[in-house]
Amino acid sequence: MRRSPRRLAWLIGPALVAGVAYLDPGNVASNMTAGARYGYLLVWVVVLGNVMAWLIQYLSAKLGVVTGQSLPEALGHRIQSPWGRRAYWLQAELVAMATDIAEVIGGAVALYLLFGVPLLWGGLITGAVSMTLLIVQSRGGAKPFEFVIMGLVAVIAIGFGYGVFVAPPDGAGVASGLMIRFDGTDSVLLAASILGATIMPHAIYAHSALSRDRFTAASAQNGAKAAATVSRGVPLENLRGISTSGLLRATRWDVTIAMLIAGTVNLCILLLAAANLAGVSGTDTLEGAYAALHDGIGPAVATLFAVGLLASGLASTSVGAYAGAEIMRGLLRVRVPLLTRRLITLIPALAILAFGVDPTLALVLSQVVLSFGIPFALIPLVVLTANRGLLGRFRNHGITTAAGIAASTFLVVLNALLLWLILTGR
């Protein structure tokens, strides 16, 4: 039976929450630094990263929709060796920690820019707000949490997009930035950082879990039998009267909307820096960029930039904590309360702030760590979603699998090139 667009619209939301990972403070730092140092040179990286992100997030969501399992759960069932599961968990956990560092530091910097709050106290406030958001998720369910996150996404979009309309970029410069090229080791480092911030491993883990949680909760309203069917990983043919094909159709719209928003905002950040901060001294830090925007374009643009940064940190840190808990549960089969985990994962970020490490440098390097974690999430995702035994008729088409392999290969080669350039000092 054909369902109305309004009915399918109810299913939209998981990708918008997972998409917050593409708008975190690490993205802001990487894109601002790239625009300020190299102008429009790395526009192509943002565009390419967003195209790959659409495919990757859709595959992640599809895995959760069709099987009722998250990616960490699926891997936890298939990695037979306990030590193998622990090793895989360790690298995924390091990625999640790098995410936490970026998000908490970004929120702390924003509070400092807006209100003069010391960075350490700003980190504590950011962590406290993230705990509040996690309480909403754990007690209120998926939908209220999604509404809160989507509200923050709207603030992020306005905060980072406004400056591009006030001081628009050069069209010819943007066009030239679509050519694939680099300019030395540092530009490769920034490209890897942008990709690490755009295609975030924890977003791949989280999206499958968000889709699983949303549709499992919905199926439970149809009775215990439907809920049990989901938990066993059988295709959800009768979820609230909507077929799996209908769920996947809604999921494609969900991912498309989320990636359009994330890609546009990320591009706006880079273009804002390229058009207004290129060659300006001190703009390779978030504080310097804020000051330059304030002096060059006006206090309104600078203030909205800081507000967007704050919303970015608050929204993404809660999603990161959710992803980290799912990684541990799926791979180690250990459940740690979200709030307890949030307290523990705050420690590295607060330590960085307490010891006075440059926040922008920490943000950029955290995105490089994320970039190296991408293949460990992406390659298994492509393999699992191409598996007929797991997804049945909903497995990937050959061209989808080929695109996933191409994206994985590109990212692995880029990271290998980055490592070689760093080790040889070129």
Side-chain angles (χ1 to χ4, degrees):
M1 183 171 62
R2 187 175 180 84
R3 301 292 164 183
S4 68
R6 182 177 180 181
R7 181 80 177 278
L8 292 178
W10 184 90
L11 303 174
I12 291 177
L16 293 171
V17 175
V20 167
Y22 297 83
L23 298 170
D24 81 334
N27 289 82
V28 180
S30 296
N31 290 319
M32 289 294 292
T33 302
R37 290 185 185 176
Y38 294 102
Y40 302 103
L41 177 73
L42 298 178
V43 166
W44 68 271
V45 179
V46 176
V47 175
L48 179 62
N50 206 65
V51 171
M52 290 192 294
W54 186 97
L55 172 64
I56 293 164
Q57 292 308 129
Y58 174 66
L59 294 182
S60 176
K62 182 168 75 168
L63 181 68
V65 169
V66 177
T67 69
Q69 296 178 343
S70 68
L71 178 58
E73 277 182 311
L75 291 172
H77 290 145
R78 284 161 178 76
I79 301 175
Q80 298 300 315
S81 167
W83 285 106
R85 285 197 304 273
R86 290 167 189 158
Y88 190 95
W89 165 79
L90 180 60
Q91 65 80 27
E93 192 68 45
L94 290 174
V95 165
M97 289 177 63
T99 301
D100 279 327
I101 289 173
E103 292 155 354
V104 173
I105 289 177
V109 171
L111 287 170
Y112 170 76
L113 295 175
L114 287 169
F115 308 111
V117 177
L119 290 177
L120 181 58
W121 282 103
L124 289 169
I125 293 171
T126 301
V129 174
S130 72
M131 290 182 191
T132 302
L133 294 177
L134 290 172
I135 291 173
V136 171
Q137 192 275 339
S138 60
R139 296 185 180 180
K143 203 62 181 177
F145 182 63
E146 288 170 8
F147 281 135
V148 173
I149 296 299
M150 283 188 276
L152 290 172
V153 168
V155 174
I156 294 168
I158 294 171
F160 293 134
Y162 177 73
V164 174
F165 291 97
V166 174
D170 174 62
V174 176
S176 69
L178 295 174
M179 296 177 58
I180 298 178
R181 55 203 171 99
F182 293 107
D183 184 14
T185 304
D186 192 51
S187 67
V188 179
L189 176 65
L190 279 173
S193 179
I194 291 171
L195 288 172
T198 303
I199 306 171
M200 301 186 77
H202 84 279
I204 301 174
Y205 299 124
H207 199 168
S208 56
L210 288 163
S211 297
R212 176 207 62 196
D213 290 351
R214 162 69 85 84
F215 300 126
T216 300
S219 68
Q221 298 179 20
N222 286 334
K225 182 177 179 180
T229 299
V230 174
S231 67
R232 289 197 304 268
V234 177
L236 317 179
E237 292 293 350
N238 296 307
L239 176 59
R240 293 179 61 89
I242 300 176
S243 68
T244 305
S245 297
L247 292 175
L248 293 177
R249 185 165 58 252
T251 295
R252 284 192 289 272
W253 277 106
D254 191 20
V255 174
T256 299
I257 294 169
M259 292 301 99
L260 279 175
I261 294 172
T264 301
V265 173
N266 279 319
L267 194 57
C268 283
I269 295 169
L270 189 147
L271 295 180
L272 178 65
N276 301 281
L277 304 182
V280 179
S281 61
T283 54
D284 54 350
T285 67
L286 291 174
E287 299 92 327
Y290 171 84
L293 290 173
H294 186 281
D295 296 338
I297 306 178
V301 172
T303 300
L304 283 173
F305 170 81
V307 169
L309 180 63
L310 178 60
S312 167
L314 296 177
S316 55
T317 189
S318 56
V319 176
Y322 173 91
E326 180 60 31
I327 289 168
M328 179 173 285
R329 188 180 77 85
L331 290 166
L332 300 186
R333 298 160 193 171
V334 174
R335 288 182 179 271
V336 176
L338 274 175
L339 296 183
T340 302
R341 180 184 173 82
R342 172 74 283 183
L343 285 171
I344 295 172
T345 55
L346 275 174
I347 294 173
L350 295 178
I352 288 174
L353 294 172
F355 287 107
V357 177
D358 177 34
T360 303
L361 177 61
L363 286 172
V364 172
L365 291 179
S366 72
Q367 304 313 294
V368 175
V369 173
L370 294 178
S371 184
F372 279 96
I374 290 170
F376 293 99
L378 181 52
I379 293 174
L381 176 67
V382 173
V383 171
L384 290 175
T385 52
N387 188 323
R388 179 191 291 270
L390 184 62
L391 270 73
R393 67 188 179 90
F394 298 107
R395 73 189 188 282
N396 297 342
H397 295 295
I399 190 170
T400 304
T401 300
I405 292 173
S408 303
T409 302
F410 173 80
L411 292 167
V412 171
V413 170
L414 178 62
N415 289 327
L417 176 61
L418 170 63
L419 182 62
W420 179 75
L421 290 172
I422 292 175
L423 292 177
T424 58
R426 299 191 180 187

